[in-house]
Amino acid sequence: MSDQVRIIEVGPRDGLQNEKTPISVADRVAFIEALVAAGCPVVEVGSFVSPKAVPQMAGSDEVLRAVDHHPGREFHVLVPNEKGYDAAIAAGARVVAVFASASEGFSRANINCTIAESIERFRPVLARAKADGIKVRGYVSCVLGCPYDGDVKPAAVASVAKTLWEQGCYEISLGDTIGVGTPARARALLRTVATEVPAERLAMHFHDTYGQALANIYAGLEEGVRVIDSAAGGLGGCPYAPGATGNVATEDVVYMLEGMGLGTGIDMAGLLAATNTVSGLIGRPPVSRVAAALNAKAKATARA
Ligand code: HMG
Ligand code: MG
C-alpha cells in the first residue's frame, strides 16, 4: 500500500461556506495562497451555487481567477448544474466537483431535487467536462447518516457512488456530512462501496461533529483509502446539515499520518500559519487539537 496520502484541503470552501461573517475575496485568496505555500497539493476554493442559497461563496469566480494557477497546483470548485459549470469554466476551473446525496432528505434540502434528478443534472456536466478535458470529482453526502432521514444503508451509498463513477467522475468522495460515523461502520461502508468503485479512487470526507473523524480515517487507511478531505483548523459545516460541525482538521490528520510514517507533502508550520490567519478573520481559535497544542507550545516558548 502507498505510503503517500493525498490531502484535499477544503477549508476555503466547506470551511468558509458556513461562517456567519462573510470573508472577503482578497482574504479568501490570501488563505488559499497560504495553504498552497504550506504544500497543500489540492485546495477546494469555492462553489458555483446560488448566491441566495450560500452567500458566503459569492465571488468564487473572482477567487478562482485570482489564485496563482502554477503547474502542480490543483484548485477544485463545486458545481451543482450546467449553470455552475459554465461559470466555473469561464473563471478558469480545471477540476470541478458535482455533489449528490445518498439520502433523499438531504438531497432535497441541499440542492432542491431528488437523487435521481441530481444525477440527471450532472449528466450534461460530465459529458461537457469530458469533451472540454475537465476533471470531475463526485461527492456523495450523508454516507453514514442523514439529518433528515436518519440511518443510511451502505448499499444506498454504493449505488450513488457507482453511478457517479460510471458517468466519469475520476474520484468519489464519501461525506459523513453530520459526523455521526464510528470506525466499524466507516470500515463496513468503505468495503461495500469498494465493490463498485476501486478503493484507490475513494476519498474520505469526514466531518468531526462527534469527534470520530480521525478514528474513522484510521479505519479507512487500513482499507487502503489514500485520499482525505480535511479543513485547516477544523473549519466547516454545511448550511443544510443542521448541527453539523467542521471537517476533520488538516493539522490533526497530518500529525496522525506523520506518526504513521505516511507522507502528505504538507509543512505543519506553514499550515498552522494559514490556520491562525483565517482564525483571526473569523474571530475564533481553531478547533484543531494539534493547532491548539502547537499554538500553546509556541506561546510557552516565547514566554521562556
Ligand atoms: P433551485 O432553486 O432548484 O434551482 O436550486 P433553479 O434552477 O430553480 O434556480 C433558482 C435560482 O438559483 C435562480 O436564480 C437561478 O438562476 C439560480 P433566481 O432566478 O431565483 O435569481 N441558480 C444559480 N445561481 C448561481 N449558480 C448556479 C445556479 N443554479 C441556479 N449554479 C441549486 C438548485 C443547486 C442551485 C440550489 O439549491 C443551491 O445553490 N444550493 C446550494 C447547495 C450548496 O452549496 N450546499 C453546500 C455545499 S454541499 C456540502 O457542503 C456537502 C459536501 O461538503 C460533502 C459532505 O460534507 O457531505 C460537498
Ligand atoms: Mg462537507
Side-chain angles (χ1 to χ4, degrees), residues 7-246:
I7 301 274
I8 314 297
E9 169 59 51
V10 298
R13 193 281 302 173
D14 204 339
L16 298 182
Q17 76 178 6
N18 209 33
E19 283 302 319
K20 285 195 179 61
T21 320
I23 307 296
S24 72
V25 166
D27 285 337
R28 278 147 70 188
V29 171
F31 177 35
I32 293 159
E33 293 295 356
L35 291 165
V36 168
C40 292
V42 185
V43 185
E44 196 173 69
V45 300
S47 308
F48 289 83
V49 298
S50 160
K52 284 184 193 150
V54 188
Q56 294 88 338
M57 288 292 103
S60 287
D61 54 339
E62 292 171 69
V63 170
L64 195 53
R65 283 195 178 94
V67 291
D68 183 358
H69 291 256
H70 200 73
R73 295 175 182 180
E74 205 172 285
F75 299 113
H76 294 190
V77 290
L78 298 193
V79 300
N81 50 23
E82 279 194 274
K83 185 180 171 88
Y85 180 79
D86 287 336
I89 296 307
R94 305 295 308 156
V95 185
V96 300
V98 294
F99 47 109
S101 172
S103 66
E104 292 292 352
F106 185 73
S107 184
R108 174 63 63 194
N110 194 39
I111 49 175
N112 196 27
C113 62
T114 65
I115 299 169
E117 284 164 352
S118 73
I119 300 294
E120 286 313 309
R121 285 182 191 177
F122 303 152
R123 210 180 283 282
V125 170
L126 276 144
R128 288 178 55 193
K130 191 175 177 194
D132 296 342
I134 300 294
K135 281 167 57 177
V136 185
R137 194 166 195 249
Y139 275 107
V140 185
S141 285
C142 295
V143 299
L144 289 162
C146 170
Y148 306 99
D149 301 351
D151 209 26
V152 174
K153 298 270 176 289
V157 181
S159 160
V160 179
K162 178 180 190 240
T163 305
L164 293 177
W165 172 249
E166 286 178 351
Q167 284 195 10
C169 290
Y170 72 94
E171 182 171 282
I172 306 296
S173 177
L174 300 174
D176 183 7
T177 318
I178 54 173
V180 288
T182 48
R185 290 188 56 226
R187 186 189 303 282
L189 170 76
L190 290 166
R191 285 190 181 168
T192 303
V193 179
T195 61
E196 304 290 358
V197 180
E200 58 273 20
R201 294 303 181 153
L202 294 177
M204 300 182 273
H205 179 109
F206 296 160
H207 285 257
D208 200 28
T209 316
Y210 286 79
Q212 304 295 302
L214 271 187
N216 296 343
I217 286 171
Y218 189 91
L221 289 167
E222 288 191 329
E223 294 303 309
V225 181
R226 289 289 181 273
V227 185
I228 301 170
D229 299 0
S230 61
L235 289 166
C238 175
Y240 299 98
T245 62

Side-chain angles (χ1 to χ4, degrees), residues 255-271:
Y255 184 85
M256 181 181 82
L257 294 174
E258 281 176 359
M260 295 169 71
L262 296 171
T264 62
I266 297 176
D267 166 57
M268 184 67 89
L271 175 63

